[in-house]
Amino acid sequence: MDELARRVRAARDVDTDAFAERVDREAEELKAQLEVGTFDNPQAIVGLEHEFYAVDEGTGVLRRVPVPLLELIGFEKELGLHNAELASRPQPFGPHGLAALGNEVQAVVRAAHDASKRNEGIRLVADGFWTVPPVGETAVEYLRATAEFDGVVLSPNIPPSVRYQVMSNTPLYEPRCRLETENVTLETRTISPATLTTSIQPHYQVPSAADLPSYFAYALRVAGPLLAMSVNSPLFPPSLYDADATVESVLAEADLENRVELYEAVMNDPDRPAKVRFPRDIDSAADAVDRIAADPPISPELLAAGDRFDDRFAHLRHKHSSYWRWVRPVFDGASESAANARIEFRPLPGQPTVPDAVALVAAFAGLLNGLAATDHPVADLPWEQARENFYAAASDGLAAEMRWITADGTETTDTDAVYDDLLAVAAEGLQRAGFDPGAAEEHLRLLRARVDARTSPAGWKRDRLRTHAEEGASLPTAVVAAADDYRDRQAETLIEGSFAEWPGL
C-alpha cells in the first residue's frame, strides 16, 4: 500500500487554482452548449444504477468481491470492497424501453449470481445496509481498520484507488467520519462507515435541458413519498450498538432509513457547506452547472484531453463525482449527439427484489412525466416542506406525516390521499409515455401493495426483529436472525418475485 499512499499524497499536491480555472472555463462552455440546445433530445430516457453487497453463500457473512469476479460478471467497483454495482443501459421511456431495462437487469443479475456462486461461493444481496460482518471481525473492527503511511491513512476495505482513499486524506474537504444517532455511536479515521450502505439510483433524462428546473422541482417533491415506501435500513450491525441499546429502544427510537443520516454524518465536513444534503430548487440548467462548479472540491486533478465529447468538461465532471446531493443534475455524453441532461435520484436504498427496483424506476419516471405534463400543483409545495417530507420519510417511513398538494389543489397530510394522488399521476405519466392502463397499473401494483399494508422493507425487518425478541433473542441475536430472514426470503424472489409476495405483507 506504499505506492497507493504515495499517489494519494501526490493527489493532495495538485494546483488547486489551476484546477478551479479549468472548472470555471469548462462551466462556461457547458452553459454555452446548453444555450444552443446541444443537450436536448427527442424523448425522455430512463436508466438504473443498482448496488449490491456480497455475502458468503453458505454462512451469510460479508465477503469482499475479488476484482476478477467483478470483471467476469460485468459489474463495477463501489465504495466498499464488498460492493458491486450494475449500471443498466439507458432506454427510451416507454413500454419497450422499460421492459428492456427490466429484462437487462434481471438477466445480468441472474448471470452474476450464478457466476459468483460458482466461482467464489459468493451471493449478491440487494439491501439498504449490511449487518453481518466478515468472519473473524466485528463490524466496528472492519470499519475502523486502517494502515498509515507517513501521515496518509488508508482503509484496507475500500478499493485501492486514489479517488476513494483521498477522501479521507485531504485538507480541502474533511469528512466528519463520525456517526452519533439513536443507540449508535461510531467514529473512524476514514469514510469507511459509508460502505455500510447500498442503493438503487433511477435516472431520468429530460427531453429539453431548458425544462430541467421544472423536472428537478418535481423530483424534490416526490423524494419524501417515494423514500417512505422504500426505506430499508432500520438495523445496524450488532457491534455498532451502544452497550445499553435494546430491541425495545431500537424499535422505539431508530430511523427506518438510517442510510440517510449515516451518509450525511460521515461524509459531510462540519466546517464547510455540506455536500450530502437535500438540494434547493434550481432556476435554470445554467444554475445547476454553476452549483456544481462552486461545490467544494475533494481531490482536484489536472486531466489530459480525451476523445469523448464531454471530455471538454472533464474537470467539471470530475468535480461532479463528489457532488453528493440526494437529487442531482447530470450533464454528459460520449458524443455531441448523445449529450444529455438528466436527473439522478439517489434517496432510494436497495430493494428486496429486482422487480421492486424496476417498479420504482417506473414510478419515478411516470411521476416526472405526469407531473410536468399536467402542470401538477404540487410544484407549489414550498421547498422547505419538501425537505421536511424527505427527512420525515427517512425517520418514519410510511408512518411519516408528509404534506402534499393533490391534482385538484387540495393540501393534505392523509397518507391514503397522498398516495392515491401520487400513484394516479404516475399512472398518468406512464400512459402518456405509451403504456396501456393495465400495464401502467401492473408496474405500480407492487408499490400500492406497500401503501395498502403500510409495510416497507424496513418495517418488515422490524417485524422480524420484534418476533425474534419475543422468542427470547437478545438484540445482537435478533438483528442477525432478521438479516438471515431477509436473505432467505430474497433468495426465492430476487429475480422474478416481489416484496408484495413476502409473508407479512
Side-chain angles (χ1 to χ4, degrees):
M1 298 182 79
D2 282 324
E3 172 59 19
L4 176 60
R6 185 196 65 77
R7 290 164 50 213
V8 169
R9 279 194 296 273
R12 298 188 305 193
D13 294 334
V14 169
D15 185 336
T16 56
D17 290 337
F19 176 80
E21 289 174 4
R22 295 189 188 188
V23 167
D24 291 343
R25 185 167 60 247
E26 291 170 2
E28 293 305 313
E29 182 175 353
L30 176 52
K31 289 187 289 185
Q33 294 287 346
L34 286 167
E35 186 70 25
V36 298
T38 303
F39 285 79
D40 295 346
N41 286 278
Q43 68 177 102
I45 303 289
V46 293
L48 173 66
E49 295 177 39
H50 199 316
E51 298 171 358
F52 298 81
Y53 62 78
V55 301
D56 184 85
E57 175 68 23
T59 64
V61 302
L62 198 69
R63 287 276 303 275
R64 299 163 179 86
V65 184
V67 172
L69 178 59
L70 282 176
E71 295 171 348
L72 175 67
I73 65 178
F75 279 49
E76 300 174 4
K77 292 185 296 184
E78 247 301 319
L79 187 58
L81 286 178
H82 51 268
N83 292 132
E85 181 181 79
L86 162 66
S88 77
R89 288 173 292 185
Q91 299 288 349
F93 177 43
H96 299 299
L98 193 60
L101 184 149
N103 289 336
E104 177 192 3
V105 176
Q106 286 177 306
V108 173
V109 171
R110 183 182 295 280
H113 179 272
D114 292 345
S116 300
K117 181 178 179 180
R118 182 173 61 250
N119 289 277
E120 296 287 345
I122 280 175
R123 180 174 147 205
L124 298 178
V125 178
D127 201 349
F129 259 21
W130 59 263
T131 49
V132 183
V135 65
E137 299 177 81
T138 67
V140 170
E141 290 168 342
Y142 183 79
L143 296 172
R144 284 182 173 168
T146 58
E148 186 168 356
F149 300 85
D150 295 331
V152 174
V153 180
L154 305 178
S155 169
N157 296 314
I158 292 176
S161 70
V162 172
R163 173 193 171 192
Y164 291 129
Q165 298 284 353
V166 78
M167 294 178 191
S168 306
N169 290 279
T170 172
L172 296 176
Y173 190 90
E174 301 179 73
R176 183 183 291 107
C177 297
R178 177 178 173 82
L179 174 67
E180 188 170 359
T181 187
E182 299 295 345
N183 302 295
V184 171
T185 306
L186 176 67
E187 189 162 7
T188 62
R189 300 182 69 192
T190 71
I191 61 168
S192 61
T195 70
L196 279 165
T197 73
T198 44
S199 68
I200 62 168
Q201 298 175 15
H203 292 210
Y204 186 88
Q205 179 178 312
V206 302
S208 171
D211 295 329
L212 183 66
S214 176
Y215 286 103
F216 193 80
Y218 281 126
L220 295 181
R221 282 147 186 83
V222 303
L226 287 181
L227 176 60
M229 290 191 288
S230 311
V231 288
N232 197 17
S233 56
L235 304 176
F236 285 90
S239 66
L240 269 65
Y241 284 111
D242 297 332
D244 59 352
T246 64
V247 169
E248 291 74 19
S249 66
V250 169
L251 290 172
E253 301 165 359
D255 287 355
L256 273 71
E257 188 56 29
N258 284 294
R259 173 176 158 269
V260 169
E261 183 171 1
L262 180 143
Y263 210 76
E264 292 191 359
V266 170
M267 300 302 290
N268 283 335
D269 183 335
D271 297 322
R272 294 177 174 88
K275 281 181 166 289
V276 188
R277 65 177 188 263
F278 190 80
R280 289 192 171 273
D281 294 320
I282 56 175
D283 296 326
S284 64
D287 180 33
V289 174
D290 288 338
R291 290 192 190 181
I292 297 167
D295 201 51
I298 285 185
S299 57
E301 183 177 354
L302 301 180
L303 303 166
D307 296 328
R308 289 172 52 114
F309 166 72
D310 54 14
D311 284 337
R312 302 183 193 180
F313 323 112
H315 298 84
L316 188 67
R317 288 173 60 217
H318 178 79
K319 197 169 192 181
H320 181 272
S321 67
S322 62
Y323 184 75
W324 296 317
R325 306 308 192 263
W326 289 115
V327 182
R328 69 178 182 180
V330 183
F331 304 94
D332 65 14
S335 64
E336 190 167 339
S337 62
N340 66 88
R342 66 180 186 270
I343 295 171
E344 186 178 276
F345 194 67
R346 299 163 58 85
L348 305 180
Q351 295 298 294
T353 76
V354 170
D356 283 287
V358 175
L360 283 163
V361 176
F364 177 62
L367 279 166
L368 291 197
N369 192 39
L371 292 166
T374 60
D375 195 23
H376 195 284
V378 79
D380 296 327
L381 187 75
W383 173 86
E384 291 80 5
Q385 184 61 58
R387 181 182 185 277
E388 187 174 322
N389 287 349
F390 175 72
Y391 289 104
S395 176
D396 299 323
L398 286 167
E401 182 178 285
M402 293 178 290
R403 194 167 298 278
W404 183 259
I405 302 175
T406 63
D408 64 4
T410 301
E411 189 168 317
T412 183
T413 59
D414 178 78
T415 300
D416 287 322
V418 170
Y419 284 103
D420 284 348
D421 187 73
L422 181 134
L423 293 174
V425 177
E428 168 79 8
L430 290 169
Q431 291 176 46
R432 285 175 177 267
F435 294 80
D436 65 54
E441 180 54 37
E442 181 60 23
H443 280 294
L444 301 175
R445 176 182 60 84
L446 304 185
L447 305 180
R448 288 189 191 276
R450 300 184 182 194
V451 177
D452 291 344
R454 295 294 196 272
T455 301
S456 61
W460 190 92
K461 289 177 179 175
R462 283 164 58 89
D463 287 344
R464 298 308 303 152
L465 182 79
R466 184 182 293 108
T467 296
H468 289 296
E470 290 171 350
E471 294 171 352
S474 63
L475 175 61
T477 302
V479 168
V480 172
D484 289 343
D485 293 342
Y486 181 90
R487 288 194 309 275
D488 289 346
R489 185 55 57 188
Q490 185 175 93
E492 302 172 7
T493 56
L494 176 62
I495 308 298
E496 295 180 342
S498 74
F499 178 59
E501 303 167 7
W502 289 23
L505 195 77

